[in-house]
Amino acid sequence: YTGRQIRYLLLQTHYRTQLNFTFEGLKSSAHALQRIDDFVYRITNIDKTDDQNMVSSIIDKAKSQFASALADDLNISPALASLFDMIRDINTLCDENKVGVAESKNIITFLKETDQALGIIFTNKDKEEAPKEVLDHLRLRNEARKEKNWSKADFHRDKITELGYVIEDSKGKTRLKKISNR
């Protein structure tokens, strides 16, 4: 487990409550952080130019709930819940193609403000480039896909999975994602 995952596990417990440390809790922390990372990736890769101003009310609600929860004796559970509620609501808007570039910048600004208190969202320590072998298999897989050689593409995809990564394809973009806790 990474330091970031351990920090999240420690962070999600109220300071007056005894921490119940379990490996299941660490797995849950890793999953929660992956949700955040996937959301940040999705938001930073929005290329739709027209905004529909549907995000500002969601951000304002999350900001208010987050600040209110922390002001209430550092009540971290509802503070984190407000963050994940915002992520769910904005993901729904993204699914409906209702979030534009300007709105995505407002979301990132809010997340950076939130991260000043949390210190878990924008950390680059866990973001390392995939090994050369994985990148080579990815390149060969993409070439095979262009040639419509599906068995060769599947072979390289399987090799990438064996090396601890998964491929996500969307809108002509390919993303490698490290499989956590292999």
Side-chain angles (χ1 to χ4, degrees):
Y1 293 95
T2 66
R4 182 174 173 234
Q5 292 165 341
I6 294 169
R7 179 182 173 96
Y8 185 84
L9 176 69
L10 297 172
L11 177 71
Q12 67 183 355
T13 303
H14 190 272
Y15 75 94
R16 290 187 191 198
T17 306
Q18 184 173 357
L19 173 68
N20 182 17
F21 180 87
T22 64
F23 287 105
E24 191 61 39
L26 274 174
K27 287 180 186 176
S28 176
S29 294
H31 177 71
L33 289 170
Q34 189 63 56
R35 271 189 69 198
I36 293 171
D37 292 344
D38 290 344
F39 177 72
V40 169
Y41 178 82
R42 184 176 198 181
I43 292 302
T44 55
N45 286 291
I46 287 179
D47 54 7
K48 184 174 173 275
T49 54
D50 61 324
D51 293 312
Q52 297 182 12
N53 290 330
M54 302 187 80
V55 171
S56 59
S57 63
I58 295 172
I59 293 173
D60 290 343
K61 179 181 173 185
K63 189 180 292 190
S64 172
Q65 289 176 341
F66 187 84
S68 176
L70 290 184
D72 181 21
D73 196 26
L74 295 176
N75 199 354
I76 192 68
S77 293
L80 290 173
S82 69
L83 180 66
F84 282 102
D85 287 345
M86 181 203 71
I87 288 171
R88 182 196 63 234
D89 294 343
I90 293 176
N91 270 331
T92 300
L93 291 177
C94 288
D95 292 342
E96 297 168 357
N97 204 22
K98 293 182 179 178
V99 179
V101 173
E103 292 173 317
S104 70
K105 290 178 182 175
N106 292 338
I107 296 164
I108 294 297
T109 299
F110 169 69
L111 290 174
K112 286 180 179 177
E113 291 170 1
T114 304
D115 202 37
Q116 289 178 353
L118 301 175
I120 56 161
I121 299 173
F122 295 102
T123 59
N124 293 325
K125 295 174 189 167
D126 298 329
K127 305 287 183 205
E128 53 193 50
E129 190 165 319
K132 182 180 180 332
E133 184 180 6
V134 173
L135 295 175
D136 288 342
H137 280 293
L138 180 64
R139 180 181 49 76
L140 293 170
R141 175 210 177 244
N142 289 340
E143 289 173 7
R145 286 185 60 168
K146 285 179 185 173
E147 297 167 359
K148 298 191 186 301
N149 186 341
W150 306 120
S151 62
K152 186 176 178 183
D154 290 345
F155 170 79
H156 290 292
R157 183 201 62 222
D158 293 343
K159 286 293 186 184
I160 290 169
T161 303
E162 287 174 19
L163 294 169
Y165 287 83
V166 67
I167 301 170
E168 291 182 349
D169 293 311
S170 64
K171 295 183 185 177
K173 296 179 184 178
T174 301
R175 173 184 176 203
L176 277 176
K177 188 162 87 171
K178 185 158 180 61
I179 299 171
S180 59
N181 302 327
R182 285 190 54 123

